[in-house]
Amino acid sequence: GAGVSQTPSNKVTEKGKYVELRCDPISGHTALYWYRQSLGQGPEFLIYFQGTGAADDSGLPNDRFFAVRPEGSVSTLKIQRTERGDSAVYLCASSPLAGANSGANVLTFGAGSRLTVL
Amino acid sequence: AQSVTQLDSHVSVSEGTPVLLRCNYSSSYSPSLFWYVQHPNKGLQLLLKYTSAATLVKGINGFEAEFKKSETSFHLTKPSAHMSDAAEYFCVVSDTYNFNKFYFGSGTKLNVKP
């Protein structure tokens, strides 16, 4: 596609519910990233994929958070037993290469999915 | 560990006057550095990047930034602010050992007065 697409743009859920957030990256981009942006803060790294595999998931806050990218394109961020503290904007980004410091690892971001947990 | 400090959470300038948004980084080696801009209800957009080439980096919309290793700074400047520059700006540093991992500063909101 022309850009990174994220759905839903807004999600309101109740505490304890399960949520899935979807990211459709730019076609052909190898790397895909998830960030979380809480109110008044900068984006916080969660996980990134190189192809189908999670190359670094060290930013996932706990085991309630999980992400997949089964075919190396679309990714889904899954949050189980949501808590009020999970409320944030979840940002997805993609880049063409996940190699060394080539300068090609510029991220293109989607508009984000705003999650509100009541 | 890498970190980024944006020294001002809010900056207000008049249209036509210079813009200075300050950023200091912490990194063991020469990192890659970026500035991103976020307009309301829009995605983050790359303004410019530094990847160990020229220390003065020119970006889009008349913005530029200078990498100063001795000061561990990467301040963003623009000679003359435009109303459309009003947005939030993020300074970003790459991880020393994993160039695909990026750390964002807390952001600086730029207000441009007519």
Side-chain angles (χ1 to χ4, degrees):
Chain A
V4 177
S5 176
Q6 291 189 246
T7 55
S9 56
N10 277 285
K11 175 71 177 179
V12 180
T13 190
E14 294 179 343
K15 179 184 173 184
K17 298 290 187 182
Y18 170 80
V19 167
E20 288 190 353
L21 306 176
R22 175 189 167 107
C23 173
D24 197 345
I26 292 174
S27 178
H29 276 194
T30 305
L32 183 146
Y33 302 76
W34 284 101
Y35 280 80
R36 177 170 70 176
Q37 187 174 19
S38 300
L39 194 62
Q41 298 182 19
E44 171 193 18
F45 172 82
L46 295 179
I47 183 172
Y48 94 89
F49 291 87
Q50 186 167 343
T52 59
D56 187 332
D57 65 357
S58 61
L60 295 177
N62 51 59
D63 60 5
R64 296 187 297 105
F65 288 76
F66 190 71
V68 296
R69 195 186 186 198
E71 298 178 355
S73 177
V74 171
S75 175
T76 304
L77 178 65
K78 307 180 180 192
I79 310 174
Q80 297 177 319
R81 305 182 303 280
T82 52
E83 299 177 358
R84 292 193 180 90
D86 299 336
S87 296
V89 177
Y90 289 82
L91 298 169
C92 178
S94 68
S95 73
L97 287 174
N101 187 21
S102 65
N105 53 354
V106 170
L107 305 181
T108 301
F109 282 86
S113 292
R114 181 178 297 278
L115 174 65
T116 303
V117 182
L118 302 177
Chain B
Q2 291 70 43
S3 67
V4 173
T5 302
Q6 292 186 242
L7 299 164
D8 306 294
S9 59
H10 290 83
V11 170
S12 185
V13 301
S14 296
E15 190 175 22
T17 64
V19 175
L20 170 64
L21 305 183
R22 298 182 293 167
C23 171
N24 285 95
Y25 69 92
S26 170
S27 178
S28 302
Y29 300 95
S30 290
S32 290
L33 290 157
F34 309 79
W35 276 97
Y36 280 81
V37 61
Q38 187 174 39
H39 290 274
N41 301 316
K42 292 194 174 180
L44 286 153
Q45 180 186 15
L46 178 72
L47 271 181
L48 50 80
K49 62 180 181 181
Y50 166 78
T51 54
S52 69
T55 57
L56 182 62
V57 181
K58 293 189 184 298
I60 61 172
N61 300 333
F63 283 94
E64 61 182 38
E66 186 172 8
F67 173 71
K68 291 187 176 180
K69 188 173 183 179
S70 61
E71 299 177 7
T72 61
S73 70
F74 190 58
H75 300 336
L76 182 70
T77 60
K78 183 173 180 178
S80 176
H82 192 272
M83 294 297 292
S84 61
D85 294 328
E88 188 159 20
Y89 293 79
F90 293 95
C91 184
V92 182
V93 65
S94 63
D95 187 275
T96 299
Y97 303 107
N98 182 352
F99 295 118
N100 297 297
K101 193 169 178 180
F102 304 91
Y103 300 93
F104 281 70
S106 55
T108 299
K109 287 186 178 175
L110 176 65
N111 178 46
V112 181
K113 298 175 290 186

